Amino acid sequence: MRTEKILELYTDYVMPTYVQMPIALSRGKGARVWDAEGNEYLDFFPGWAVSGLGHCHPRVTKAVRKQVRKIIHISNNYLNESQGRLARLIIKNSFDGKVFFSNSGAEANEGAIKLARKYGNPTKRYEIITMEKSFHGRTMACISATGQEKVKVGFEPLLEGFKTVPFNDLSAVKEAISDKTVAILLEPIQGEGGINVADREYLAGLRQLCDQKDLLLIFDEVQTAMGRTGKLFCFQNFDIKPDIMTLAKSLGSGVPVGAIVASSKVCDVLGPGSHATTFGGSPLVCSAAIATFEAIESGRLLNHVNKISKFLFIQLENLRKKYPSIITTIKGLGVMIGVELAVEGDEIVSECRQEGLLINCTQKNILRIMPPIIVKKGEVKKAIKVLDDILAKAHTI
Ligand SMILES: *Cc1c(COP(=O)(O)O)cnc(C)c1O
């Protein structure tokens, strides 16, 4: 089907909730995708950070193909070997505790919020401190937690019990704590908010506060996990551990799987009958997530990320020096990079697309450069060349 026909189907039958680009992607391999007309693109924002291993990683497609022939779904009232094995993989690679599997990032955060409330219930504490410019998903609890007005408008009344403070400001958190506070929820690097990296001292301070006041430190790692920042999980860059971590996006390399990872202190707070989800942690999605872990390990991909990240940062810094009136700052960690512009970025994103490079712009002026962690040096060079040519044109206008 041609793109215009697909667009007609959307106009007639699909709710218009997304800002959409007029291309239909029909095939992908590694860092490349092809549209319905066969045009090739370099995908430097694959699946909104879902396809961290690139598209159709052979290890993942093989695992899914094998599983889909055996059994696709079973109810969580029966034991599922892959769910048990995946939970062990997550725990052995993060911190002692247990895992609950969800289907999305919002659902994982929703569950983490429930867990925090249950933990605070005996002491009548339920308030959760969240950050300005955060993003935690689109369910009612998650938009209430999110520190951005635009996701809330029109959906009031919101869920009570959230206090929002500026990001990277420890004293603001201290001031916001009351005898009702039970948890602090944040992304160690804000994605949607513009690739804002938490300071090391800030996170150490939050950890200390949480220990002193018996608060739960919850990291939303939905966008930052699975090697994206050069460590398997982003918190591992900071020498501290959260009490709860939520995962989704690249955990299953494209199949819908999310997780609440809870430390030993809180992992038994949600007991039998207190929380559930029908599709959560099916054999199909768990097989894909196990394969994702294996691919990262056997491909030595964390090493690769750290190398390619250095190269990317140097190249982007060069562009910044070349076009100082357009690019103001390069920020981020690993291959989670924000290019802050002095101008709005939408035009640059669409010109990149016309030249075969897919990237994203958030907060109007931050280009998000988040290639899959398997991206090759040659592909980075190609992407930088596209950006360079477009910035050169913009520069002369
Ligand atoms: C994408 C995202 C979410 C929401 O995940 P969904 O799977 O879309 O529900 C939550 N938190 C962060 C940090 C995200 O990037």
Side-chain angles (χ1 to χ4, degrees), residues 21-23 41 348-358:
M21 287 169 261
I23 56 175
Y41 303 85
I348 293 177
V349 169
S350 84
E351 283 181 31
C352 281
R353 187 175 69 243
Q354 282 155 29
E355 297 303 319
L357 172 65
L358 304 182

Side-chain angles (χ1 to χ4, degrees), residues 104-107 109 135-137 187 220 222-223 248-249:
S104 68
E107 200 193 347
N109 286 329
F135 182 82
H136 299 298
E187 301 145 83
D220 177 344
V222 168
Q223 194 164 143
K249 292 213 163 90

Side-chain angles (χ1 to χ4, degrees), residues 203-234:
L203 292 181
L206 289 182
R207 181 67 270 173
Q208 204 177 19
L209 263 183
C210 287
D211 291 340
Q212 284 165 357
K213 300 191 181 281
D214 186 29
L215 310 177
L216 301 177
L217 185 58
I218 308 174
F219 277 7
D220 177 344
E221 288 228 26
V222 168
Q223 194 164 143
T224 50
M226 306 313 283
R228 170 74 40 206
T229 67
K231 301 275 185 193
L232 200 44
F233 302 109
C234 184

Side-chain angles (χ1 to χ4, degrees), residues 19 55 146 166-167 181 202 238 268:
V19 179
H55 296 278
T146 292
F167 187 64
T181 310
Y202 172 65
F238 299 99
D268 293 318

Side-chain angles (χ1 to χ4, degrees), residues 18 48-50 103-109 134-139 142 146 186-192 220-224 246-249 257-258 336 368:
Y18 299 99
W48 212 268
V50 164
N103 306 288
S104 68
E107 200 193 347
N109 286 329
S134 57
F135 182 82
H136 299 298
R138 298 289 192 155
T139 62
C142 290
T146 292
L186 74 157
E187 301 145 83
I189 301 177
Q190 293 187 327
E192 214 65 32
D220 177 344
E221 288 228 26
V222 168
Q223 194 164 143
T224 50
T246 55
L247 305 173
K249 292 213 163 90
V257 52
M336 181 163 185
R368 260 194 290 189

Side-chain angles (χ1 to χ4, degrees), residues 19-36 38-51 54-55 228 312 316 335 337 339 345-362 366-372 375 379-380 382-387 390:
V19 179
Q20 243 148 9
M21 287 169 261
I23 56 175
L25 299 179
S26 57
R27 198 160 61 84
K29 190 171 182 359
R32 291 175 302 162
V33 281
W34 289 266
D35 69 15
N39 299 306
E40 183 179 315
Y41 303 85
L42 252 186
D43 196 355
F44 271 41
F45 197 58
W48 212 268
V50 164
S51 311
H55 296 278
R228 170 74 40 206
L312 240 173
L316 289 169
V335 285
I337 304 176
V339 176
D346 280 350
E347 190 64 30
I348 293 177
V349 169
S350 84
E351 283 181 31
C352 281
R353 187 175 69 243
Q354 282 155 29
E355 297 303 319
L357 172 65
L358 304 182
I359 56 170
N360 168 266
C361 178
T362 188
I366 319 259
L367 300 180
R368 260 194 290 189
I369 312 283
M370 293 178 57
V375 72
E379 291 164 335
V380 169
K382 218 167 144 186
I384 293 290
K385 173 85 170 60
V386 171
L387 266 174
I390 287 166

Side-chain angles (χ1 to χ4, degrees), residues 113-185:
I113 291 165
K114 280 180 73 180
L115 199 169
R117 284 200 172 190
K118 191 106 193 292
Y119 179 74
N121 195 254
T123 47
K124 298 196 165 49
R125 298 183 298 152
Y126 59 87
E127 248 171 37
I128 299 176
I129 297 173
T130 69
M131 306 302 151
E132 285 173 11
K133 289 197 176 172
S134 57
F135 182 82
H136 299 298
R138 298 289 192 155
T139 62
M140 282 307 298
C142 290
I143 64 171
S144 304
T146 292
Q148 300 192 64
E149 219 27 55
K150 66 179 183 194
V151 306
K152 310 185 191 216
V153 192
F155 299 110
E156 299 85 355
L158 300 173
L159 189 68
E160 290 179 54
F162 296 96
K163 263 192 200 168
T164 304
V165 300
F167 187 64
N168 260 338
D169 182 344
L170 189 61
S171 57
V173 174
K174 279 184 190 158
E175 269 171 46
I177 293 173
S178 75
D179 57 4
K180 299 266 182 292
T181 310
V182 70
I184 300 169
L185 165 64

Side-chain angles (χ1 to χ4, degrees), residues 326-329 339-345 348 365-367 391:
I326 307 177
I327 301 178
T328 57
T329 324
V339 176
E340 190 165 342
L341 306 174
V343 296
E344 293 203 353
I348 293 177
N365 69 329
I366 319 259
L367 300 180
L391 291 170

